[in-house]
PDB file of all heavy atoms in Angstrom:
ATOM      1  N   MET X 125       0.822  -1.236  -0.002  1.00 22.00           N
ATOM      2  CA  MET X 125      -0.043   0.000   0.027  1.00 22.00           C
ATOM      3  C   MET X 125       0.889   1.244   0.043  1.00 22.00           C
ATOM      4  O   MET X 125       0.641   2.227  -0.720  1.00 22.00           O
ATOM      5  CB  MET X 125      -0.859   0.006   1.235  1.00 22.00           C
ATOM      6  CG  MET X 125      -1.931   1.092   1.232  1.00 22.00           C
ATOM      7  SD  MET X 125      -3.090   0.769   2.591  1.00 22.00           S
ATOM      8  CE  MET X 125      -3.268   2.454   3.216  1.00 22.00           C
ATOM      9  N   GLU X 126       1.886   1.200   0.808  1.00 26.00           N
ATOM     10  CA  GLU X 126       2.819   2.351   0.906  1.00 26.00           C
ATOM     11  C   GLU X 126       3.462   2.615  -0.467  1.00 26.00           C
ATOM     12  O   GLU X 126       3.601   3.730  -0.946  1.00 26.00           O
ATOM     13  CB  GLU X 126       3.763   2.158   2.014  1.00 26.00           C
ATOM     14  CG  GLU X 126       4.710   3.419   2.168  1.00 26.00           C
ATOM     15  CD  GLU X 126       5.754   3.098   3.252  1.00 26.00           C
ATOM     16  OE1 GLU X 126       5.443   2.435   4.228  1.00 26.00           O
ATOM     17  OE2 GLU X 126       6.875   3.550   3.066  1.00 26.00           O
ATOM     18  N   ARG X 127       3.959   1.468  -1.084  1.00 24.00           N
ATOM     19  CA  ARG X 127       4.750   1.595  -2.269  1.00 24.00           C
ATOM     20  C   ARG X 127       3.809   2.134  -3.390  1.00 24.00           C
ATOM     21  O   ARG X 127       4.200   3.008  -4.192  1.00 24.00           O
ATOM     22  CB  ARG X 127       5.314   0.333  -2.687  1.00 24.00           C
ATOM     23  CG  ARG X 127       6.751   0.066  -2.203  1.00 24.00           C
ATOM     24  CD  ARG X 127       7.474  -0.975  -2.949  1.00 24.00           C
ATOM     25  NE  ARG X 127       6.713  -2.214  -3.030  1.00 24.00           N
ATOM     26  CZ  ARG X 127       6.736  -3.196  -2.092  1.00 24.00           C
ATOM     27  NH1 ARG X 127       7.442  -2.962  -1.011  1.00 24.00           N
ATOM     28  NH2 ARG X 127       6.113  -4.223  -2.303  1.00 24.00           N
ATOM     29  N   VAL X 128       2.498   1.655  -3.396  1.00 27.00           N
ATOM     30  CA  VAL X 128       1.646   2.062  -4.499  1.00 27.00           C
ATOM     31  C   VAL X 128       1.390   3.554  -4.400  1.00 27.00           C
ATOM     32  O   VAL X 128       1.477   4.314  -5.317  1.00 27.00           O
ATOM     33  CB  VAL X 128       0.284   1.327  -4.293  1.00 27.00           C
ATOM     34  CG1 VAL X 128      -0.736   1.967  -5.175  1.00 27.00           C
ATOM     35  CG2 VAL X 128       0.503  -0.137  -4.600  1.00 27.00           C
ATOM     36  N   ALA X 129       1.130   4.090  -3.089  1.00 29.00           N
ATOM     37  CA  ALA X 129       0.898   5.464  -2.944  1.00 29.00           C
ATOM     38  C   ALA X 129       2.038   6.360  -3.421  1.00 29.00           C
ATOM     39  O   ALA X 129       1.846   7.343  -4.061  1.00 29.00           O
ATOM     40  CB  ALA X 129       0.571   5.696  -1.423  1.00 29.00           C
ATOM     41  N   ARG X 130       3.261   5.802  -3.032  1.00 26.00           N
ATOM     42  CA  ARG X 130       4.427   6.594  -3.464  1.00 26.00           C
ATOM     43  C   ARG X 130       4.569   6.697  -4.943  1.00 26.00           C
ATOM     44  O   ARG X 130       4.936   7.750  -5.542  1.00 26.00           O
ATOM     45  CB  ARG X 130       5.677   5.968  -2.851  1.00 26.00           C
ATOM     46  CG  ARG X 130       6.948   6.845  -2.934  1.00 26.00           C
ATOM     47  CD  ARG X 130       8.173   6.023  -2.744  1.00 26.00           C
ATOM     48  NE  ARG X 130       8.137   5.441  -1.444  1.00 26.00           N
ATOM     49  CZ  ARG X 130       8.643   6.102  -0.317  1.00 26.00           C
ATOM     50  NH1 ARG X 130       9.020   7.249  -0.384  1.00 26.00           N
ATOM     51  NH2 ARG X 130       8.571   5.503   0.842  1.00 26.00           N
ATOM     52  N   ARG X 131       4.326   5.597  -5.634  1.00 26.00           N
ATOM     53  CA  ARG X 131       4.467   5.552  -7.123  1.00 26.00           C
ATOM     54  C   ARG X 131       3.487   6.573  -7.793  1.00 26.00           C
ATOM     55  O   ARG X 131       3.816   7.201  -8.672  1.00 26.00           O
ATOM     56  CB  ARG X 131       4.237   4.135  -7.618  1.00 26.00           C
ATOM     57  CG  ARG X 131       5.119   3.683  -8.677  1.00 26.00           C
ATOM     58  CD  ARG X 131       5.104   2.253  -8.998  1.00 26.00           C
ATOM     59  NE  ARG X 131       3.894   1.532  -8.831  1.00 26.00           N
ATOM     60  CZ  ARG X 131       3.854   0.398  -8.080  1.00 26.00           C
ATOM     61  NH1 ARG X 131       4.823  -0.027  -7.501  1.00 26.00           N
ATOM     62  NH2 ARG X 131       2.627  -0.137  -7.980  1.00 26.00           N
ATOM     63  N   ILE X 132       2.272   6.508  -7.243  1.00 27.00           N
ATOM     64  CA  ILE X 132       1.286   7.448  -7.810  1.00 27.00           C
ATOM     65  C   ILE X 132       1.743   8.827  -7.657  1.00 27.00           C
ATOM     66  O   ILE X 132       1.613   9.696  -8.554  1.00 27.00           O
ATOM     67  CB  ILE X 132      -0.036   7.171  -7.111  1.00 27.00           C
ATOM     68  CG1 ILE X 132      -0.584   5.861  -7.704  1.00 27.00           C
ATOM     69  CG2 ILE X 132      -1.027   8.262  -7.468  1.00 27.00           C
ATOM     70  CD1 ILE X 132      -1.658   5.307  -6.850  1.00 27.00           C
ATOM     71  N   LEU X 133       2.210   9.200  -6.472  1.00 28.00           N
ATOM     72  CA  LEU X 133       2.628  10.546  -6.179  1.00 28.00           C
ATOM     73  C   LEU X 133       3.701  11.024  -7.177  1.00 28.00           C
ATOM     74  O   LEU X 133       3.614  12.080  -7.762  1.00 28.00           O
ATOM     75  CB  LEU X 133       3.157  10.641  -4.780  1.00 28.00           C
ATOM     76  CG  LEU X 133       3.444  12.028  -4.151  1.00 28.00           C
ATOM     77  CD1 LEU X 133       2.119  12.693  -3.941  1.00 28.00           C
ATOM     78  CD2 LEU X 133       4.178  11.882  -2.892  1.00 28.00           C
ATOM     79  N   VAL X 134       4.709  10.066  -7.396  1.00 27.00           N
ATOM     80  CA  VAL X 134       5.803  10.471  -8.234  1.00 27.00           C
ATOM     81  C   VAL X 134       5.222  10.624  -9.692  1.00 27.00           C
ATOM     82  O   VAL X 134       5.555  11.654 -10.310  1.00 27.00           O
ATOM     83  CB  VAL X 134       6.869   9.357  -8.237  1.00 27.00           C
ATOM     84  CG1 VAL X 134       7.960   9.606  -9.333  1.00 27.00           C
ATOM     85  CG2 VAL X 134       7.527   9.421  -6.863  1.00 27.00           C
ATOM     86  N   ALA X 135       4.416   9.702 -10.213  1.00 27.00           N
ATOM     87  CA  ALA X 135       3.875   9.810 -11.526  1.00 27.00           C
ATOM     88  C   ALA X 135       3.102  11.157 -11.646  1.00 27.00           C
ATOM     89  O   ALA X 135       3.318  11.803 -12.646  1.00 27.00           O
ATOM     90  CB  ALA X 135       3.018   8.576 -11.790  1.00 27.00           C
ATOM     91  N   ALA X 136       2.262  11.370 -10.703  1.00 29.00           N
ATOM     92  CA  ALA X 136       1.422  12.632 -10.859  1.00 29.00           C
ATOM     93  C   ALA X 136       2.265  13.898 -10.861  1.00 29.00           C
ATOM     94  O   ALA X 136       2.001  14.749 -11.689  1.00 29.00           O
ATOM     95  CB  ALA X 136       0.410  12.659  -9.715  1.00 29.00           C
ATOM     96  N   ALA X 137       3.375  13.906 -10.023  1.00 29.00           N
ATOM     97  CA  ALA X 137       4.131  15.040 -10.006  1.00 29.00           C
ATOM     98  C   ALA X 137       4.868  15.256 -11.306  1.00 29.00           C
ATOM     99  O   ALA X 137       4.974  16.426 -11.819  1.00 29.00           O
ATOM    100  CB  ALA X 137       5.174  14.922  -8.893  1.00 29.00           C
ATOM    101  N   MET X 138       5.361  14.188 -11.989  1.00 29.00           N
ATOM    102  CA  MET X 138       6.059  14.301 -13.214  1.00 29.00           C
ATOM    103  C   MET X 138       5.098  14.898 -14.289  1.00 29.00           C
ATOM    104  O   MET X 138       5.489  15.862 -14.926  1.00 29.00           O
ATOM    105  CB  MET X 138       6.554  12.957 -13.646  1.00 29.00           C
ATOM    106  CG  MET X 138       7.846  12.512 -12.895  1.00 29.00           C
ATOM    107  SD  MET X 138       8.205  10.795 -13.164  1.00 29.00           S
ATOM    108  CE  MET X 138       8.429  10.731 -14.854  1.00 29.00           C
ATOM    109  N   CYS X 139       3.943  14.302 -14.301  1.00 30.00           N
ATOM    110  CA  CYS X 139       2.955  14.714 -15.341  1.00 30.00           C
ATOM    111  C   CYS X 139       2.563  16.161 -15.068  1.00 30.00           C
ATOM    112  O   CYS X 139       2.417  16.957 -16.075  1.00 30.00           O
ATOM    113  CB  CYS X 139       1.809  13.739 -15.307  1.00 30.00           C
ATOM    114  SG  CYS X 139       0.209  14.480 -15.548  1.00 30.00           S
ATOM    115  N   PHE X 140       2.448  16.482 -13.894  1.00 28.00           N
ATOM    116  CA  PHE X 140       2.057  17.887 -13.463  1.00 28.00           C
ATOM    117  C   PHE X 140       3.057  18.886 -13.921  1.00 28.00           C
ATOM    118  O   PHE X 140       2.661  19.897 -14.544  1.00 28.00           O
ATOM    119  CB  PHE X 140       2.112  17.821 -11.885  1.00 28.00           C
ATOM    120  CG  PHE X 140       1.682  19.083 -11.302  1.00 28.00           C
ATOM    121  CD1 PHE X 140       0.378  19.441 -11.104  1.00 28.00           C
ATOM    122  CD2 PHE X 140       2.698  19.920 -10.719  1.00 28.00           C
ATOM    123  CE1 PHE X 140       0.015  20.570 -10.513  1.00 28.00           C
ATOM    124  CE2 PHE X 140       2.320  21.042 -10.068  1.00 28.00           C
ATOM    125  CZ  PHE X 140       1.022  21.428 -10.035  1.00 28.00           C
ATOM    126  N   PHE X 141       4.361  18.631 -13.762  1.00 29.00           N
ATOM    127  CA  PHE X 141       5.318  19.601 -14.234  1.00 29.00           C
ATOM    128  C   PHE X 141       5.528  19.610 -15.694  1.00 29.00           C
ATOM    129  O   PHE X 141       5.746  20.673 -16.276  1.00 29.00           O
ATOM    130  CB  PHE X 141       6.659  19.466 -13.476  1.00 29.00           C
ATOM    131  CG  PHE X 141       6.479  19.794 -12.036  1.00 29.00           C
ATOM    132  CD1 PHE X 141       6.653  18.860 -10.991  1.00 29.00           C
ATOM    133  CD2 PHE X 141       6.214  21.136 -11.618  1.00 29.00           C
ATOM    134  CE1 PHE X 141       6.453  19.212  -9.673  1.00 29.00           C
ATOM    135  CE2 PHE X 141       5.999  21.438 -10.293  1.00 29.00           C
ATOM    136  CZ  PHE X 141       6.170  20.424  -9.385  1.00 29.00           C
ATOM    137  N   CYS X 142       5.425  18.430 -16.337  1.00 31.00           N
ATOM    138  CA  CYS X 142       5.585  18.396 -17.837  1.00 31.00           C
ATOM    139  C   CYS X 142       4.386  19.129 -18.426  1.00 31.00           C
ATOM    140  O   CYS X 142       4.483  19.703 -19.519  1.00 31.00           O
ATOM    141  CB  CYS X 142       5.509  16.958 -18.329  1.00 31.00           C
ATOM    142  SG  CYS X 142       6.971  16.071 -17.708  1.00 31.00           S
ATOM    143  N   GLY X 143       3.229  19.122 -17.823  1.00 32.00           N
ATOM    144  CA  GLY X 143       2.061  19.661 -18.445  1.00 32.00           C
ATOM    145  C   GLY X 143       1.984  21.182 -18.438  1.00 32.00           C
ATOM    146  O   GLY X 143       1.050  21.732 -18.848  1.00 32.00           O
ATOM    147  N   GLY X 144       3.047  21.859 -17.965  1.00 33.00           N
ATOM    148  CA  GLY X 144       3.072  23.274 -18.091  1.00 33.00           C
ATOM    149  C   GLY X 144       2.605  23.988 -16.744  1.00 33.00           C
ATOM    150  O   GLY X 144       2.839  25.168 -16.600  1.00 33.00           O
TER     151      GLY X 144
END
Side-chain angles (χ1 to χ4, degrees):
M125 190 171 137
E126 185 184 321
R127 271 202 303 278
V128 172
R130 191 195 300 273
R131 222 168 27 234
I132 287 159
L133 190 71
V134 170
M138 281 166 63
C139 141
F140 181 79
F141 290 114
C142 296

